[in-house]
Amino acid sequence: MFQTTQNRVALISVDGDPSAKIGQEEAGGQNVYVHQVGMALAEQGWQMDMFTRRSCPRQTTIVPHHPNCRTIRLNTGPAEFIGRDHLFDYLPEFLAEFQKFQQQQGLYYPIVHTNYWLSAWVGMELKKRQPLIQVHTYHSLGAVKYRSVGHIPVIAIQRLAVEQACLETVDCVVATSPQEQKHLRILVSYNGRTEMIPCGTDLQKFGGLPRLEAREKLGITPDAKMVFYVGRFDQRKGIDTLVKAVAQSTFRDEGKVKLVIGGGSCPGYIDGMERDRITTIVAELGLEDITIFPGRLDHSVLPYYYSAADVCVVPSHYEPFGLVAIEAMASQTPVVASDVRGLQFTIVPEVTGLLAPPKNDVAFAAAIDRILANPSWRDELGVAGRERVEIAFSWNSVGSRLSQLYLRLMMQAAEQYQNQTQILAA
Ligand code: UDP
């Protein structure tokens, strides 16, 4: 017997565990998004069950976060880390486990919100088997990503086909920036419904710490020019561009620049190899004395780094949204970022930071130096960044907008059902 709760939502993120440690092994923005959206909607009274796959034998099956929100890990393939490009063959097992869970618990989810193309496939298959409303957030689009990476994986054909079918068949796609909305139309399909609801950030956690206090805590001197990067070690993040840019900074000669590159990595894994590559470039350019690699930065310490920095740099070749940029802005730190997709939306050039062409270390060096040379302008950019984030990017407002979308889709589905039954009765 199914327990039909109209406000029950399955937030599916096969590859991005919302309870994972963030900052390494493909755990980044998507994991944060799913967790924060789950919590924000739980606060608004929705029953949020966040489904992911078990990636380690020691992981517990159910992790409660809030009376209305929990992570549920389904057994899918071996209980070990499997890269996104190798997960597709395990999806039928995930689907079967999801259905088994519903049956065993006597639960039914009228709304399924899927994340990334792998989960889109699960949602679309589920929709063939039971009535539901599917909302989807892509996080990353193959059609855009494959234009900016050298290596195109074997799974690309499958991914592009699923992404197109998803846009054309699900009830609504949530684009996180107007740029994504445009790309969906130009590069994926003219059919299908989209709505723009951005990602958010935690306004309490980020912001509010004076720069000097944060520096004291981290042991960074008041006169240092601190350039900060945080994120996964992944070639598409363009960390090499940042290192080459810092090597050209005029402040390097004055001995004032401090380059902090935060993010976790595991030796032997893809992120470990990228970290080794970056360490080699740092050594080749003679930047070892001024560069610090603090490793994975937990959110309990990350706010100190954002607040201490003079500038936060996001040099990605491709960035669907870029949570790091709005976390830095919330912390009143200006951002120098690549002039690509999500970053074109979050950063207002000359107002909250600066944009530079991706992979162009000369342009990045010039932009970083403009901010380092002018502390009062740096502060103005910081204040404007905080204002922008308060207005446009809080998780609460993201949660409210998603909640309204779910309600509208439910009303429309109910109306459609009513119309159909009237036609059949006539
Ligand atoms: N992050 C973190 N610690 C680290 C590295 C990254 O907490 O050491 C977090 C960062 O604060 C942000 C997320 O990981 O919330 C990265 O999201 P973003 O959208 O910038 O990049 P993605 O990982 O999705 O490519």
Side-chain angles (χ1 to χ4, degrees):
M1 183 62 186
F2 274 136
Q3 197 184 318
T4 312
T5 312
Q6 286 306 316
N7 66 348
R8 197 175 284 284
V9 179
L11 198 50
I12 302 183
S13 175
V14 179
D15 60 307
D17 184 334
S19 303
K21 280 185 181 169
I22 308 301
Q24 64 185 54
E25 279 185 347
E26 294 190 355
Q30 182 183 328
N31 309 60
V32 175
Y33 176 93
V34 174
H35 185 96
Q36 294 290 349
V37 160
M39 292 297 281
L41 286 163
E43 280 292 324
Q44 304 198 11
W46 295 87
Q47 296 284 325
M48 303 301 294
D49 280 348
M50 310 190 287
F51 290 89
T52 190
R53 69 173 281 273
R54 186 194 300 279
S55 62
C56 166
R58 291 187 307 278
Q59 284 174 330
T60 42
T61 305
I62 297 186
V63 187
H65 303 286
H66 178 282
N68 294 345
C69 182
R70 56 188 179 162
T71 295
I72 298 162
R73 298 191 175 109
L74 303 178
N75 292 322
T76 310
E80 61 190 40
F81 171 74
I82 302 175
R84 286 185 182 122
D85 288 346
H86 305 282
L87 270 178
F88 187 71
D89 290 346
Y90 297 108
L91 295 183
E93 195 183 340
F94 187 94
L95 179 65
E97 286 292 310
F98 181 89
Q99 289 180 293
K100 199 166 102 191
F101 181 87
Q102 282 193 129
Q103 200 121 46
Q104 282 172 350
Q105 305 288 318
L107 293 175
Y108 161 68
Y109 296 91
I111 299 179
V112 170
H113 184 158
T114 51
N115 293 272
Y116 196 59
W117 74 274
L118 295 164
S119 307
W121 184 89
V122 173
M124 288 190 294
E125 288 299 315
L126 200 60
K127 203 172 170 155
K128 291 177 191 164
R129 293 160 173 81
Q130 65 188 57
L132 56 87
I133 291 164
Q134 186 178 0
V135 174
H136 182 72
T137 308
Y138 282 99
H139 295 278
S140 160
L141 268 181
V144 183
K145 180 176 180 173
Y146 296 141
R147 292 174 156 213
S148 67
V149 294
H151 167 73
I152 304 212
V154 181
I155 200 70
I157 295 170
Q158 194 80 53
R159 175 176 177 174
L160 295 173
V162 171
E163 286 182 346
Q164 181 176 350
C166 172
L167 176 55
E168 292 177 345
T169 59
V170 304
D171 296 276
C172 189
V173 160
V174 173
T176 54
S177 67
Q179 286 75 6
E180 181 181 352
Q181 229 171 357
K182 200 173 97 192
H183 280 139
L184 284 168
R185 287 293 167 243
I186 298 170
L187 301 172
V188 182
S189 175
Y190 280 104
N191 300 319
R193 174 174 173 181
T194 68
E195 183 141 333
M196 204 290 286
I197 302 178
C199 295
T201 199
D202 186 328
L203 297 173
Q204 262 78 47
K205 189 187 288 172
F206 300 110
L209 270 173
R211 181 168 281 106
L212 290 183
E213 205 181 293
R215 285 190 174 201
E216 204 182 321
K217 171 99 183 156
L218 298 177
I220 292 175
T221 55
D223 66 335
K225 301 280 186 192
M226 177 176 161
V227 181
F228 181 51
Y229 166 89
V230 64
R232 292 175 298 107
F233 279 91
D234 181 323
Q235 282 209 12
R236 74 139 171 110
K237 289 287 181 182
I239 310 172
D240 50 347
T241 306
L242 165 64
V243 175
K244 289 174 195 161
V246 167
Q248 295 163 49
S249 168
T250 48
F251 295 94
R252 182 189 170 188
D253 300 335
E254 294 174 21
K256 285 193 177 156
V257 174
K258 182 76 53 203
L259 172 60
V260 181
I261 302 176
S265 57
C266 288
Y269 282 75
I270 291 181
D271 52 11
M273 290 186 250
E274 177 61 1
R275 157 97 194 237
D276 290 345
R277 191 176 77 90
I278 298 301
T279 311
T280 306
I281 299 172
V282 166
E284 279 168 2
L285 295 174
L287 298 175
E288 279 164 312
D289 289 351
I290 61 164
T291 306
I292 306 170
F293 290 95
R296 193 182 80 79
L297 296 173
D298 193 78
H299 275 209
S300 58
V301 293
L302 184 54
Y304 291 103
Y305 283 86
Y306 281 128
S307 294
D310 288 286
V311 60
C312 176
V313 183
V314 187
S316 315
H317 304 165
Y318 156 74
E319 196 60 76
F321 185 83
L323 286 178
V324 163
I326 56 171
E327 288 166 6
M329 282 158 63
S331 313
Q332 303 205 19
T333 297
V335 181
V336 170
S338 294
D339 193 1
V340 294
R341 210 170 106 180
L343 301 166
Q344 294 167 331
F345 169 50
T346 50
I347 292 151
V348 184
E350 307 288 335
V351 178
T352 70
L354 294 169
L355 294 175
K359 302 185 189 174
N360 187 333
D361 48 88
V362 177
F364 267 88
I368 291 168
D369 276 2
R370 271 186 70 198
I371 293 174
L372 295 185
N374 192 341
S376 57
W377 188 48
R378 172 202 67 194
D379 292 346
E380 275 172 38
L381 295 170
V383 170
R386 173 79 195 183
E387 275 172 16
R388 175 151 173 76
V389 172
E390 280 176 5
I391 292 166
F393 305 117
S394 80
W395 282 123
N396 280 349
S397 72
V398 171
S400 302
R401 288 170 70 177
L402 284 171
S403 175
Q404 283 160 21
L405 173 65
Y406 292 171
L407 289 171
R408 247 182 295 131
L409 292 171
M410 285 172 85
M411 263 164 52
Q412 283 162 9
E415 273 167 24
Q416 251 173 19
Y417 177 75
Q418 227 170 14
N419 290 344
Q420 276 165 3
T421 39
Q422 274 167 3
I423 291 167
L424 286 175

